């Protein structure tokens, strides 16, 4: 009997293996990408990466039976994605949703998808609020590092270099609010650090004097705004001699785009030399970049595709994290679906497929991708700074690896670069004139004697005042009693008379 059971188990396993290898499945994929090319994650920039991944999966023996029917839908950063999803779901619901990227659009789509048991993978939805996967965001996997993950590099630096306060300066467009959500991750992750915030509306002039006034009682300045505004603020700080090492300046550029402060000090005007000096104090946090043959091929094909569609594209010479993320989303889903079906689950079991995407590591187009147990990608980040002031050139000075939480300075980079000058000085020592008792003991004796004298004097006056009060109260009561007695007798006599 035992041997028959073992034989049955072996045959079942072999059958499932064979089915998994020879399975043919049609998978409906709904990808939300805006047609508006002002977005860094527009259809023209990202759709080629999704189709590239589909072709790669066809050549892989494990996934060659998967037939991905990819439907690209135009989405803004408001409600159009949700309306499209509802309309399409009146027929056949998708098996996988890619995107949306914008926080407000993603929130509505992910809520519906989680209710319908459909996996969602996005290279966006990076705000801190999406970290709670307990209910309405239960089916969301974030294939790009969230803003909270980005904040981990700041946590590591604050601990390493003993920084204690920060000013967060950001430009708020009141719509997509990318910079608000970016710095919200830092604020969310570092509650023990004294933080101030300074926001100004997109399109408004930057009041550099007001910003610099807020810098005075902080140590670290973290900025998220356009490159022009960062240059303006750094020039003003340099003019006030605030870039000499008493403050640390950072900007965040996760998207590898010129629309953010990417360290470009050169503008070709009369302020270039001052800007170069100012930017010697500026550090840029960005995603860690890896170079591998597969990525080089992918990158060249993406650039060619973008240039065929986009005109006067300033960002076409670099591939941002959205294209990488949507490519890797297809790979991650295929791996999870293959494992689920291998173990007898259906493509309709979205919760099972989602759980198999979490807490795993796989090889993406640009390097290793690690998804944590909460369905969020662990982020690897680089710190870029000017290392040659004469030429004004930049290079990576440190890396942060989210998988193990390590912050590593590159060889030849000294920690003195991050030491605040003239800060955290120890107070001067107080000379010990306590005749051997020690300063604290002598202070205790003096304080005790003073308190004792105060208590005795207080007790004396309270007792004296209490005695006087009692005597006066007794006299008053006797007087009142006599008056009440007389009034009572007058009242009785009046009643009897009546």
């Amino acid at each position: 009997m035992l041997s028959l059971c073992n034989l049955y188990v072996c045959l079942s396993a072999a059958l499932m293996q064979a089915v998994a290898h020879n399975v043919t499945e049609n998978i409906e994929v709904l990808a939300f990408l805006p047609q508006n090319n002002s977005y860094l994650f527009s259809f023209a920039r990202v759709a080629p990466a999704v189709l590239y991944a589909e072709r790669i999966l066809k050549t892989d023996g494990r996934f060659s039976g998967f037939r991905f029917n990819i439907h690209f839908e135009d989405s803004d950063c408001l409600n159009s994605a949700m309306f499209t999803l509802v309309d399409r779901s009146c027929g056949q619901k998708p098996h996988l949703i890619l995107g949306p990227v914008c926080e407000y659009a993603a929130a509505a789509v992910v809520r519906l998808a989680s209710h319908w048991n459909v996996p969602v993978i996005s290279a966006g939805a990076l705000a801190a609020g999406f970290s709670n996967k307990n209910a309405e965001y239960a089916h969301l996997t974030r294939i790009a590092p969230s803003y909270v993950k980005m904040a981990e590099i700041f946590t590591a630096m604050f601990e390493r270099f003993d920084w204690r306060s920060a000013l967060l300066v950001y430009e708020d467009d009141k719509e997509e609010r990318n910079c608000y959500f970016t710095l919200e991750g830092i604020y969310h992750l570092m509650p023990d650090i004294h933080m101030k915030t300074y926001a100004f509306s997109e399109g408004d002039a930057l009041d550099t004097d007001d910003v610099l006034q807020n810098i005075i009682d902080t140590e670290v300045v973290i900025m998220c705004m356009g490159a022009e505004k960062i240059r303006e603020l750094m020039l003003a700080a340099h003019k006030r001699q605030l870039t000499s090492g008493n403050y640390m300046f950072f900007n965040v550029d996760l998207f590898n785009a010129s629309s953010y402060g990417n360290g470009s000090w050169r503008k070709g005007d009369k302020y270039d030399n001052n800007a170069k000096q100012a930017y010697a104090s500026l550090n840029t946090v960005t995603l860690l970049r890896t170079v591998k043959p597969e990525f080089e091929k992918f990158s060249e094909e993406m650039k060619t595709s973008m240039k065929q569609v986009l005109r006067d594209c300033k960002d076409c010479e670099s591939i941002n994290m959205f294209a990488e993320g949507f490519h890797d989303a297809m790979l991650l889903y295929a791996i999870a679906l293959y494992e689920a079906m291998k173990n007898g689950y259906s493509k309709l079991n979205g919760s099972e497929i989602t759980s198999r995407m979490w807490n795993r590591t796989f090889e993406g187009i640009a390097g290793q991708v690690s998804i944590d147990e909460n369905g969020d990608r662990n982020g690897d980040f680089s710190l870029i700074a000017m290392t040659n002031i004469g030429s004004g050139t930049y290079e990576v000075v440190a890396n942060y690896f989210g998988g193990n939480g390590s912050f590593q300075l590159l060889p030849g980079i000294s920690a003195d670069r991050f030491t605040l000058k003239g800060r955290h000085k120890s107070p001067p020592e107080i000379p010990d004139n306590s005749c051997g008792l020690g300063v604290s003991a002598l202070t205790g004796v003096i304080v005790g004697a003073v308190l004792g004298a105060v208590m005795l004097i207080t007790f004396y006056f309270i007792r004296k005042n209490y005695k006087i009060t009692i005597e006066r109260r007794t006299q008053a009561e006797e007087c009142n009693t006599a008056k009440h007695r007389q009034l009572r007798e007058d009242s009785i006599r009046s009643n009897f008379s009546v």
Side-chain angles (χ1 to χ4, degrees):
M1 180 64 71
L2 183 60
S3 59
L4 288 175
C5 289
N6 290 336
L7 179 62
Y8 174 77
V9 171
C10 292
L11 288 174
S12 298
L15 181 61
M16 292 174 65
Q17 185 84 4
V19 169
H21 277 286
N22 298 291
V23 68
T24 299
E25 284 287 349
N26 291 317
I27 303 158
E28 300 296 321
V29 180
L30 184 57
F32 288 112
L33 298 170
Q35 292 288 343
N36 186 343
N37 289 322
S38 65
Y39 292 106
L40 295 173
F41 43 88
S42 67
F43 174 86
R45 290 179 170 88
V46 175
V50 176
L51 298 175
Y52 186 98
E54 181 191 20
R55 295 197 303 271
I56 295 298
L57 290 172
K58 285 181 180 179
T59 63
D60 191 313
R62 296 174 297 169
F63 315 125
S64 57
F66 293 159
R67 300 288 183 263
F68 292 98
N69 302 317
I70 304 174
H71 308 277
F72 293 100
E73 291 289 348
D74 187 14
S75 67
D76 55 20
C77 281
L78 296 173
N79 295 317
S80 65
M82 179 186 67
F83 297 149
T84 300
L85 176 60
V86 172
D87 291 342
R88 292 187 63 89
S89 298
C90 292
Q92 182 182 13
K93 293 183 177 65
H95 302 119
L96 168 66
I97 297 174
L98 298 179
V101 171
C102 293
E103 272 69 16
Y104 295 117
V109 168
V110 175
R111 287 188 183 106
L112 283 174
S114 297
H115 176 68
W116 289 336
N117 197 22
V118 177
V120 182
I121 311 176
S122 179
L126 305 178
F130 291 100
S131 299
N132 185 0
K133 305 289 183 65
N134 291 332
E136 55 187 5
Y137 305 136
H139 285 59
L140 172 64
T141 302
R142 296 193 281 186
I143 197 68
S146 69
Y147 295 134
V148 172
K149 294 292 187 182
M150 178 275 299
E152 291 177 357
I153 185 174
F154 285 102
T155 300
M157 287 190 290
F158 271 72
E159 291 178 355
R160 173 100 176 247
F161 303 115
D162 194 28
W163 302 331
R164 305 169 189 174
S165 59
L167 173 66
L168 309 180
V169 185
Y170 64 96
E171 187 172 17
D172 196 348
D173 61 5
K174 303 298 183 181
E175 293 180 3
E176 299 170 36
R177 309 199 74 185
N178 288 326
C179 280
Y180 169 82
F181 289 123
T182 300
L183 298 192
E184 180 202 28
I186 300 173
Y187 194 94
H188 174 84
L189 194 64
M190 303 169 63
D192 297 332
I193 300 299
H194 172 65
M195 285 197 185
K196 297 165 57 178
T197 60
Y198 188 99
F200 63 96
S201 298
E202 184 182 39
D204 289 353
L206 177 62
D207 189 343
T208 56
D209 289 337
D210 195 19
V211 177
L212 296 178
Q213 187 63 36
N214 281 272
I215 287 177
I216 299 301
D217 59 346
T218 60
E219 300 166 321
V220 179
V221 183
I222 305 174
M223 300 173 284
C224 181
M225 61 186 86
E228 295 289 334
K229 296 290 176 62
I230 286 184
R231 187 175 187 266
E232 183 181 352
L233 184 57
M234 291 303 299
L235 280 169
H238 185 66
K239 185 177 181 180
R240 288 199 182 186
Q241 299 181 348
L242 299 178
T243 57
S244 58
N246 289 339
Y247 301 91
M248 298 299 302
F249 291 88
F250 291 90
N251 72 289
V252 180
D253 175 30
L254 300 182
F255 308 127
N256 196 21
S258 59
S259 57
Y260 289 83
N262 57 357
S264 301
W265 55 267
R266 185 180 286 107
K267 192 179 176 182
D269 59 18
K270 62 181 181 179
Y271 300 110
D272 269 359
N273 187 57
N274 288 337
K276 182 171 65 171
Q277 298 294 324
Y279 273 54
S281 300
L282 180 65
N283 305 278
T284 300
V285 172
T286 188
L287 290 168
L288 188 149
R289 296 287 170 176
T290 56
V291 178
K292 49 187 283 190
E294 295 87 346
F295 179 74
E296 291 300 322
K297 180 182 177 182
F298 168 78
S299 178
E300 289 303 318
E301 187 165 328
M302 294 305 103
K303 292 176 185 177
T304 301
S305 298
M306 286 191 292
K307 289 176 181 178
Q308 290 175 350
V309 178
L310 302 175
R311 302 296 181 187
D312 191 26
C313 177
K314 297 179 181 179
D315 302 317
C316 286
E317 290 304 319
S318 59
I319 305 302
N320 63 44
M321 75 175 190
F322 300 113
E324 295 177 25
F326 276 89
H327 173 280
D328 292 345
M330 291 287 290
L331 270 60
L332 177 59
Y333 177 80
I335 294 170
L337 177 61
Y338 175 79
E339 284 188 359
M341 297 186 70
K342 185 178 177 181
N343 286 274
Y345 294 98
S346 164
K347 65 183 178 183
L348 300 178
N349 195 329
S351 57
E352 178 64 28
I353 297 170
T354 298
S355 68
R356 291 180 180 274
M357 290 191 282
W358 295 8
N359 198 24
R360 75 176 310 134
T361 299
F362 69 101
E363 195 66 25
I365 191 63
Q368 197 174 75
V369 178
S370 172
I371 308 295
D372 69 11
E373 65 278 0
N374 193 49
D376 296 331
R377 179 173 179 171
N378 290 311
D380 297 336
F381 300 91
S382 292
L383 191 64
I384 301 174
M386 187 183 294
T387 54
N388 189 325
I389 301 178
S391 61
T393 55
Y394 284 79
E395 64 179 320
V396 176
V397 297
N399 289 320
Y400 174 81
F401 300 95
N404 56 20
S406 64
F407 179 81
Q408 302 174 5
L409 294 174
L410 267 64
I413 304 299
S414 172
D416 292 341
R417 182 186 190 92
F418 304 97
T419 301
L420 294 170
K421 298 177 182 177
R423 294 302 187 91
H424 303 327
K425 291 182 179 179
S426 301
E429 293 186 2
I430 301 174
D432 186 359
N433 298 320
S434 58
C435 302
L437 285 174
V439 175
S440 59
L442 181 61
T443 302
V445 171
I446 294 173
V447 172
V450 172
L451 288 176
V454 171
M455 289 177 66
L456 287 173
I457 295 171
T458 304
F459 177 75
Y460 169 77
F461 281 107
I462 290 175
R463 185 175 183 277
K464 184 175 180 180
N465 185 60
Y466 177 76
K467 183 178 180 180
I468 294 172
T469 302
I470 292 298
E471 291 176 350
R472 290 177 176 173
R473 185 180 299 169
T474 301
Q475 293 174 1
E477 287 177 352
E478 289 176 354
C479 181
N480 288 336
T481 301
K483 290 180 180 180
H484 292 161
R485 187 183 299 114
Q486 184 65 42
L487 288 172
R488 196 163 50 245
E489 290 174 353
D490 291 343
S491 177
I492 292 172
R493 291 193 190 100
S494 299
N495 288 333
F496 278 141
S497 299
V498 173

